[in-house]
Amino acid sequence: VAAPGGGNKLVIYGVQGTVVAGAASNYGHWLLTDGNASDATTLWCGRAQGVSNNQFSLTFPYGVALTENTALKITSVEGTGNIFINTVIYYRTEAT
């Protein structure tokens, strides 16, 4: 989700989707981050391994506010092979 511009912030209320690896031995992690991925900006991290389709649903009842004018990013860190992520993100933009 793109950065909303100065004086605004994204507030994340939930994420729903699926994640699967490309082959039985493939694995990797995926992260939701407040801007560029780092330990300091990681909001949530999940792991996928194998070809079983994993569904997930995260709900934040009070919303998770990102830093002003910062994008929400989904980053994958593949260990071996590929992982595939399909998500819907529930958010709104609020003035700071």
Side-chain angles (χ1 to χ4, degrees):
V1 178
N8 294 296
K9 62 184 174 186
L10 297 173
V11 180
I12 310 306
Y13 287 91
V15 180
Q16 185 175 16
T18 61
V19 61
V20 66
S25 63
N26 292 169
Y27 70 93
H29 294 86
W30 65 278
L31 307 93
L32 291 176
T33 59
D34 183 355
N36 293 328
S38 74
D39 288 346
T41 62
T42 297
L43 304 172
W44 192 85
C45 179
R47 177 182 167 92
Q49 182 167 358
V51 295
S52 295
N53 194 13
N54 295 295
Q55 298 181 356
F56 59 89
S57 180
L58 306 170
T59 303
F60 309 113
Y62 299 105
V64 176
L66 275 59
T67 305
E68 178 183 339
N69 195 26
T70 301
L72 173 68
K73 296 189 178 181
I74 298 176
T75 303
S76 65
V77 181
E78 295 172 337
T80 62
N82 297 308
I83 61 172
F84 303 95
I85 305 161
N86 184 20
T87 63
V88 175
I89 299 171
Y90 301 94
Y91 71 98
R92 70 180 188 187
T93 301
E94 294 182 1
T96 54

